[in-house]
Amino acid sequence: MLTLKLAFKNVTKAGLRTWLNVLILSFAYVLIIWTDGLYDGMSKQVVGDMIDMEIGGGQFWERNYDKFDPFTIDDAYAPIPENLEELVKNNEATPVLFRASVIFPQGRVQSAILKGIDPNQKVLKFPSEYLNTGESDYIPGLIGSRMAKNSGLKNGDIVTVRWQDVNGTFDATDIEIVNVISSYVQTIDNGQIWIPLKSLQEMIGATNVATVIVLHKDIETIPSGSPLWEFKDHNFLLADFYNYLDRKGMGSAIMYGLLMAMALLAIFDTQVLAIFRRRKEMGTMMALGMTRGGVIRLFTLEGTMHGILAIIIGTIYGLPILYFSAVNGIAMPEAVEQVGLSLNSTLYPVYGIGLFLSTSLIMFISVIVVSFLPTRKIARLNPTDALRGKIA
Amino acid sequence: MTNEELIIAQDLSKDYPIGGDFFRALDGINLSVKQGEFSGIIGPSGSGKTTLLNIIGALDTPSDGSVNVLGNKVENMTHTESANLRNNFLGFIFQTYNLLPVYNVYENVEFPLLLQKIEKLQREEMVMQALEWVGLTNKAKSRPSQLSGGESQRVAIARAMVKKPKIVLADEPTANLDADNSHHILKTMVKLNEELNTTFLFSTHDEKVISYLKRKIMLNDGKLVDDILVN
Ligand SMILES: Nc1ncnc2c1ncn2[C@@H]1O[C@H](COP(=O)(O)OP(=O)(O)OP(=O)(O)O)[C@@H](O)[C@H]1O
Ligand SMILES: [Mg+2]
């Protein structure tokens, strides 16, 4: 109790030394939470976008379809089963047909997957309505900005595509790029051209077939599948993304550790310095009747209090900042769109109580350890140094 | 009760390791100090004065022989026991004042009382009284950095005296002070010695201090060479 009082007194009386320490610590604390929240927000947002634009409330896959094997694509089509047809009519599901193709943009050869989607579908937030172009000589095609970059295609370009129909016969036609969508979801963008479902069905010579059937994300009951159609839930459909996040997570853990190390180094530094600078002070305290254990406890507690103060101060000025950025989002610079995941230009960080608690706890424990370690050395300090009047 | 022997050293020796060898800083000291004495250990630099005071203050242990302070054998005490002895019965005054820099004058003097877990009201009374002894009641709120050397040493005296210890050990308390301040401080200590019957043991080679001493314990090369009582 006395130690606590004394530590509190020392910390509050030390003025600038305390506040510098606490400020650095609290910066680190807020920064750790902020980056973590940003990271969480980022993945939540991408997941949200993927659900909105691509995977909906889950998908039925034609049993031959294997997304890791492009050679399966041309075999992966089947008539839409009746129970799903019903959902499609009610705007609760929408079929998508895939087809491997080769495109010839500006004389080059490139493979691409054609994806047929109903231009009037209301299931996904995918902007398929661009495909409603009325009368035209060309089949309208929609590509993502990534695809546009890779292929050099742009709005208004005509590109020749070649594909095989259900009989294995090659055929070719021209597609007019009617829009380049800046997509947030990589998996609807890379190497794909979206065209009207009916057109693709005609091109391959099969009516009413699809490769996947996407359910509306708000669908209440998942309809039953069939031997031909297997249901794939979110876990399955997002697994790649989560794997990706895990790999990214390593990066964020390193970042977290780095920030923490910075903060702890600051404390460690001041504590180590304190041993040398405050040696005389400690010797004096011992000469005045404080026990060695008492001195160790006192100095450890002082360091710990820096941690507590940092958490309090960080919370006081950090909370409004964190709250503000969580509510209003953070405008992302262009550069971020270049990295692996494409993102909305405004990002909403997500801060969970768990994040606060775990960061606080880790901070707290680390501060104790880092304060204790150098202070323990004092146990070996001879209080006679103080009495001898050495300035060291 | 006077004439009680508070400090008894018997065949006290202290060796400091130097390289693979030992340096004998104190060599077979026999000494006893009675309650109420105002005495000083006098000797040239390096004669072992500080070493002797440290052992008497239980901050260090003898290599040989025995030191009894207030009935406690210093050589057998644990760290906690020696801390308690200092806390309750010993006061220290240092050559370099050693005030706690972040505390003001009042808090510096209060510190030993906090260690003794004395209540706030009583603490206040005792601190103010100690500051009165040294004439510094008006500087209670000052920080050590704002004090002159003489004032700092008076605070240190108040801090050593506030708990009314049995023994005050003062290691060259005037070494950093000018003549005026030295005399002021010595008079203060003489007064406290007379009023409270506190035992004072100095270490010094300062003539000013020596002129106030009632007993001069002469040390040379770690040996007690003379012991003079002044009437
Ligand atoms: N920790 C130590 N290790 C080794 N030798 C030491 C140590 N402390 C003191 N000595 C030696 O012991 C001898 C006595 O030292 P001490 O400090 O007691 O002398 P002193 O009489 O107080 O001197 P001064 O008047 O300069 O303060 C000196 O020769 C000193 O070098
Ligand atoms: Mg000395």
Side-chain angles (χ1 to χ4, degrees):
Chain A
M1 203 53 218
L2 170 69
T3 318
L4 200 68
K5 260 193 223 156
L6 284 177
F8 187 73
K9 197 164 153 183
N10 289 352
V11 165
T12 47
K13 295 250 158 195
L16 200 62
R17 187 177 69 201
T18 294
W19 294 121
L20 277 177
N21 233 337
V22 165
L23 225 60
I24 291 173
L25 269 178
S26 71
F27 280 152
Y29 175 70
V30 173
L31 209 61
I32 286 170
I33 294 182
W34 192 75
T35 43
D36 236 55
L38 203 62
Y39 182 73
D40 269 14
M42 215 183 296
S43 34
K44 285 234 167 66
Q45 191 151 332
V46 172
V47 167
D49 281 351
M50 284 177 82
I51 290 172
D52 281 349
M53 298 193 68
E54 186 191 13
I55 63 178
Q59 299 178 338
F60 281 94
W61 283 14
E62 204 280 336
R63 66 179 169 134
N64 288 323
Y65 175 55
D66 175 354
K67 69 172 165 180
F68 297 112
D69 182 0
F71 295 108
T72 63
I73 289 178
D74 280 0
D75 294 328
Y77 62 92
I80 299 163
E82 250 167 59
N83 63 331
L84 295 180
E85 189 79 67
E86 202 55 35
L87 292 175
V88 171
K89 281 200 185 99
N90 293 334
N91 283 326
E92 287 181 293
T94 193
V96 181
L97 177 61
F98 298 178
R99 199 73 184 170
S101 76
V102 175
I103 61 172
F104 302 90
Q106 290 145 357
R108 286 181 294 119
V109 186
Q110 206 175 327
S111 65
I113 295 172
L114 298 175
K115 288 191 173 177
I117 189 168
D118 177 5
N120 300 315
Q121 60 84 23
K122 303 266 185 304
V123 173
L124 294 172
K125 284 217 181 102
F126 184 80
S128 53
E129 65 273 12
Y130 286 123
L131 298 172
N132 277 324
T133 48
E135 278 303 305
S136 169
D137 290 344
Y138 306 108
I139 296 168
L142 206 52
I143 57 174
S145 47
R146 232 165 269 270
M147 174 64 170
K149 204 175 229 168
N150 291 342
S151 61
L153 290 171
K154 55 189 187 300
N155 208 348
D157 278 1
I158 312 289
V159 63
T160 304
V161 284
R162 198 185 60 172
W163 72 96
Q164 279 178 293
D165 69 12
V166 292
N167 300 317
T169 316
F170 282 99
D171 201 351
T173 189
D174 287 338
I175 289 179
E176 179 183 4
I177 304 302
V178 294
N179 215 309
V180 176
I181 51 176
S182 75
S183 72
Y184 311 137
V185 182
Q186 204 176 345
T187 39
I188 60 163
D189 183 336
N190 271 352
Q192 310 170 24
I193 301 179
W194 294 79
I195 60 175
L197 177 64
K198 282 266 161 9
S199 307
L200 188 55
Q201 287 170 343
E202 277 169 30
M203 281 157 69
I204 69 167
T207 48
N208 205 31
V209 292
T211 307
V212 303
I213 297 163
V214 186
L215 300 178
H216 194 283
K217 70 168 176 174
D218 295 331
I219 195 151
E220 271 157 24
T221 46
I222 307 294
S224 54
S226 66
L228 270 184
W229 292 92
E230 285 168 24
F231 182 68
K232 307 290 184 188
D233 62 7
H234 277 173
N235 280 344
F236 177 86
L237 295 167
L238 290 168
D240 278 353
F241 177 71
Y242 285 135
N243 281 339
Y244 174 80
L245 276 192
D246 280 349
R247 268 180 282 127
K248 273 290 246 210
M250 284 296 291
S252 101
I254 290 168
M255 180 79 179
Y256 191 98
L258 225 63
L259 284 171
M260 196 60 107
M262 243 173 57
L264 294 179
L265 213 65
I267 307 183
F268 190 73
D269 202 43
T270 23
Q271 284 288 324
V272 169
L273 271 180
I275 287 182
F276 293 104
R277 255 196 276 123
R278 299 178 71 190
R279 235 184 134 100
K280 192 166 147 187
E281 205 177 316
M282 293 176 209
T284 306
M285 286 176 174
M286 288 191 230
L288 292 177
M290 202 158 190
T291 58
R292 284 180 183 214
V295 172
I296 293 173
R297 277 197 301 278
L298 177 63
F299 278 73
T300 304
L301 212 59
E302 277 187 37
T304 309
M305 278 184 182
H306 286 150
I308 298 174
L309 272 179
I311 290 171
I312 295 172
I313 304 264
T315 307
I316 289 172
Y317 75 78
L319 214 57
I321 297 175
L322 298 181
Y323 180 78
F324 185 84
S325 61
V327 169
N328 295 300
I330 298 158
M332 279 290 121
E334 289 280 318
V336 176
E337 299 213 3
Q338 305 302 322
V339 302
L341 295 166
S342 43
L343 295 165
N344 272 321
S345 49
T346 307
L347 232 154
Y348 296 87
V350 178
Y351 306 107
I353 286 286
L355 177 60
F356 275 101
L357 291 183
S358 62
T359 307
S360 303
L361 195 73
I362 291 173
M363 185 100 169
F364 187 68
I365 292 172
S366 320
V367 167
I368 292 179
V369 171
V370 132
S371 306
F372 171 73
L373 286 180
T375 311
R376 196 181 49 164
K377 285 212 154 199
I378 304 163
R380 270 179 257 141
L381 174 95
N382 206 334
T384 55
D385 285 346
L387 200 60
R388 201 173 285 112
K390 281 186 186 158
I391 309 294
Chain B
M1 25 170 196
T2 48
N3 279 350
E4 188 193 344
E5 288 181 331
L6 300 188
I7 303 166
I8 305 163
Q10 284 173 318
D11 297 323
L12 165 62
S13 294
K14 178 69 182 179
D15 297 323
Y16 286 119
I18 298 179
D21 214 357
F22 285 98
F23 175 78
R24 182 144 282 211
L26 292 176
D27 192 1
I29 303 281
N30 285 292
L31 175 73
S32 80
V33 177
K34 297 195 179 82
Q35 164 125 33
E37 277 191 24
F38 198 81
S39 44
I41 302 160
I42 302 164
S45 186
S47 55
K49 306 182 294 292
T50 299
T51 305
L52 183 54
L53 277 195
N54 283 346
I55 295 174
I56 291 171
L59 289 169
D60 209 344
T61 48
S63 311
D64 243 320
S66 165
V67 178
N68 191 311
V69 177
L70 298 166
N72 302 281
K73 282 199 181 301
V74 169
E75 62 272 21
N76 295 335
M77 290 171 94
T78 64
H79 285 305
T80 315
E81 284 165 353
S82 63
N84 286 338
L85 174 72
R86 290 193 293 273
N87 188 16
N88 292 315
F89 303 111
L90 304 183
F92 280 95
I93 298 169
F94 310 93
Q95 178 181 332
T96 48
Y97 325 135
N98 293 18
L99 300 182
L100 301 173
V102 299
Y103 293 171
N104 64 27
V105 166
Y106 182 96
E107 291 160 336
N108 261 284
V109 178
E110 187 189 30
F111 189 83
L113 303 180
L114 288 175
L115 293 182
Q116 290 190 341
K117 303 194 162 69
I118 288 170
E119 270 178 55
K120 190 176 180 358
L121 275 179
Q122 202 188 340
R123 273 201 322 259
E124 225 173 283
E125 213 172 281
M126 293 169 81
V127 172
M128 289 322 283
Q129 190 187 22
L131 288 178
E132 224 164 86
W133 292 334
V134 297
L136 278 178
T137 43
N138 57 334
K139 298 269 177 174
K141 292 264 184 301
S142 301
R143 289 277 181 121
S145 56
Q146 301 167 318
L147 300 176
S148 72
E151 287 169 336
S152 297
Q153 198 58 303
R154 274 145 70 195
V155 175
I157 294 172
R159 184 177 64 183
M161 290 301 302
V162 69
K163 58 191 180 190
K164 297 187 182 148
K166 290 259 185 201
I167 304 167
V168 170
L169 302 169
D171 193 10
E172 312 202 30
T174 57
N176 285 321
L177 299 180
D178 60 22
D180 278 359
N181 270 310
S182 298
H183 285 296
H184 186 140
I185 278 171
L186 285 159
K187 280 177 188 148
T188 309
M189 292 201 262
V190 168
K191 191 183 74 178
L192 291 168
N193 168 250
E194 283 164 359
E195 283 176 10
L196 304 170
N197 201 24
T198 307
T199 308
F200 278 82
L201 184 58
F202 291 81
S203 112
T204 191
H205 44 50
D206 179 356
E207 285 304 329
K208 296 185 289 295
V209 178
I210 294 170
S211 68
Y212 283 83
L213 296 177
K214 301 200 178 97
R215 178 184 175 192
K216 300 170 189 174
I217 302 159
M218 314 297 273
L219 210 59
N220 202 358
D221 276 345
K223 291 194 177 74
L224 211 160
V225 290
D226 210 347
D227 196 338
I228 307 162
L229 281 175
V230 185
N231 35 5

